[in-house]
Amino acid sequence: VLIIKKLEVGPIMANCFILGCERTKESIVIDPGDDGDKILMALAKEALKVKYLINTHGHFDHVGANKKMKEVTCATLAIHPDDEPMLLELSKSASMFGLSAENSPPADLLLTHGDTVSFGEITLEVIHTPGHSRGGICLYTKGHLFAGDTLFRSSIGRTDLPGGDYDTLISSIKTKLFGLPDDTIVYTGHGPETSIGDEKRMNPFLR
């Protein structure tokens, strides 16, 4: 059974997800963007042991607690190779928004399209969805898609940041995500969940 906990972290209210395997208590943290103590407390409450810290992309609001989480959990830090250079520039990129972030340690594992990540009895498939950033990824297991900033309820990720490209993002969503079953729940990088079917029908950017 898959445990899913959603935490809103940091000043930009990014969604951080803790996924756990009920039987083995192995877990992963997707997008530890900030508030490392809050994430660690949530893990302790469920008695979960972290195997991976996975960044869906390299923007500071999704990776800002990498350093703290890595120091405390010693988990394997993973990101797509195209976004890995951003990890060492976090304080600079955050300061452009008037905010602060600690630079991340380098990744231990580089994830590319088609890779899988397993914890306990759960396996996630890596889907490379560039457009919001060059190395954006989504993580999929039957019924559940963790979409980072690729797709939102009735919206899409912004494409005006370095490495962003509108046409690439639209293509990523239509060719790589819209083939998933309509009832797949989409857990977004900000804001509420949605489903693949709802976004096919209602998303004004994707009609």
Side-chain angles (χ1 to χ4, degrees):
V1 180
L2 179 63
I3 300 165
I4 302 176
K5 294 253 169 238
K6 175 168 111 173
L7 304 171
E8 285 186 314
V9 297
I12 307 182
M13 303 298 278
N15 291 332
C16 166
F17 294 96
I18 295 171
L19 308 190
C21 170
E22 183 79 62
R23 196 180 70 75
T24 64
K25 296 295 184 186
E26 268 198 334
S27 72
I28 66 168
V29 177
I30 299 174
D31 289 349
D34 201 353
D35 301 333
D37 289 335
K38 181 174 167 180
I39 301 168
L40 290 163
M41 276 171 60
L43 288 160
K45 196 173 164 196
E46 300 284 334
L48 294 172
K49 180 178 185 332
V50 186
K51 187 175 177 187
Y52 294 104
L53 305 167
I54 303 181
N55 300 145
T56 60
H57 60 295
H59 291 153
F60 75 89
D61 56 324
H62 291 260
V63 302
N66 277 0
K67 183 168 186 280
K68 168 137 203 171
M69 294 298 298
K70 174 83 185 157
E71 282 169 358
V72 175
T73 66
C74 300
T76 299
L77 178 62
I79 195 169
H80 190 279
D82 289 350
D83 274 18
E84 200 212 4
M86 296 159 89
L87 295 179
L88 308 177
E89 305 268 315
L90 299 185
S91 62
K92 194 168 93 179
S93 56
S95 69
M96 287 161 57
F97 291 87
L99 298 166
S100 62
E102 279 194 296
N103 284 340
S104 168
D108 306 302
L109 175 67
L110 297 175
L111 296 173
T112 57
H113 186 75
D115 287 351
T116 57
V117 178
S118 297
F119 55 101
E121 297 169 346
I122 316 291
T123 298
L124 297 173
E125 180 191 346
V126 176
I127 304 173
H128 181 214
T129 52
H132 175 64
S133 69
R134 288 191 189 93
I137 59 169
C138 299
L139 299 157
Y140 175 70
T141 186
K142 189 175 179 336
H144 308 277
L145 178 76
F146 298 86
D149 284 0
T150 296
L151 180 62
F152 298 113
R153 183 187 283 185
S154 296
S155 189
I156 57 172
R158 59 189 289 186
T159 55
D160 59 341
L161 298 170
D165 183 78
Y166 181 84
D167 293 336
T168 303
L169 184 61
I170 297 295
S171 171
S172 288
I173 295 168
K174 287 187 168 176
T175 62
K176 293 178 175 168
L177 301 185
F178 277 5
L180 299 172
D182 278 3
D183 61 359
T184 304
I185 300 167
V186 180
Y187 301 86
T188 58
H190 300 266
E193 289 78 53
T194 181
S195 72
I196 291 292
D198 280 354
E199 295 317 303
K200 278 187 192 168
R201 283 191 299 275
M202 325 254 250
N203 193 312
F205 295 93
L206 297 159
R207 283 208 187 115

